[in-house]
Amino acid sequence: MSGSLTRLYEASAAARELEAMIAASEDAGGDITELEGHFDILARQAEGLPAVIDDVLSLVAEIEHRAAARKAEAERLRQRMKRDEAIAAWMKAQVLRVMQAEGFKKLESSRWRATVAMPGGKPALEIVDEVPERFTREVVTREIDKDAIRAELDAGTVLPFARLVAKQPYLKVS
């Protein structure tokens, strides 16, 4: 993180150093699991665990805010991308319409060659009314009945293909 970045929350120098190490790990493929020991070192260096947790949760809040802003920006860019694609498709359709109206199969300019082409393969099929039985086929799908498996496991039955997994604790920050 840049030192000039305006911080939403204050954090100790050690916590900011941990954050900088995490940021630097992006250059090594983004794996931050090897930094777990550094958190423990940070905890031992601080005045007390509550102070460390306060610093780290301040960084967590800031990173979550940044992630939310990036998500919103990604959505904004996705909408702009869809608009750009729609405009480009519309413009190509206009070129095609004009070329067809003028009877051009090919047109070359100083930079581009436009060709009125027909797609290959089978013609598209459009179903416009109810299809008679002889033109249908039955498709059977199988899905796992998780409720039945859970009921058996809850009843104490040992199933070699499934087991109940204990819920894991998570951190709730408020």
Side-chain angles (χ1 to χ4, degrees):
M1 291 277 114
S2 168
S4 64
L5 180 66
T6 303
R7 302 207 69 92
L8 294 173
Y9 303 98
E10 274 303 309
S12 67
R16 286 193 305 273
E17 183 180 331
L18 177 63
E19 183 185 24
M21 291 169 68
I22 291 170
S25 73
E26 288 183 44
D27 297 336
D31 182 19
I32 61 173
T33 56
E34 61 191 44
L35 298 176
E36 286 179 5
H38 293 284
F39 184 85
D40 298 338
I41 293 169
L42 176 64
R44 285 192 295 274
Q45 289 176 344
E47 297 169 9
L49 191 58
V52 172
I53 298 299
D54 183 72
D55 287 344
V56 171
L57 291 179
S58 293
L59 291 174
V60 167
E62 184 169 324
I63 292 167
E64 288 175 340
H65 283 91
R66 185 172 62 228
R70 287 178 174 169
K71 183 178 181 179
E73 178 66 5
E75 177 59 24
R76 186 185 71 79
L77 288 173
R78 190 181 71 73
Q79 292 296 327
R80 290 188 71 182
M81 178 264 314
K82 286 176 67 175
R83 173 94 170 128
D84 287 347
E85 287 177 341
I87 291 169
W90 179 84
M91 288 179 165
K92 285 173 69 176
Q94 298 310 302
V95 170
L96 175 63
R97 181 183 57 78
V98 169
M99 285 180 65
Q100 287 177 317
E102 297 296 322
F104 286 102
K105 294 280 187 202
K106 285 186 182 180
L107 193 140
E108 289 192 38
S109 70
S110 60
R111 291 184 291 176
W112 306 104
R113 179 188 320 185
T115 304
V116 176
M118 292 298 291
K122 297 177 183 177
L125 178 64
E126 181 180 8
I127 306 296
V128 295
D129 204 355
E130 190 170 333
V131 178
E133 183 71 27
R134 69 184 188 106
F135 292 105
T136 64
R137 66 174 168 235
E138 187 173 325
V139 177
V140 178
T141 61
R142 296 172 58 107
E143 63 181 37
I144 297 171
D145 186 352
K146 291 183 180 179
D147 292 332
I149 294 170
R150 185 178 308 280
E152 288 288 321
L153 291 171
D154 285 340
T157 306
V158 175
L159 301 175
F161 58 86
R163 65 178 174 268
L164 293 174
V165 179
K167 292 183 177 183
Q168 297 297 313
Y170 69 95
L171 183 65
K172 181 178 178 183
V173 180
S174 53

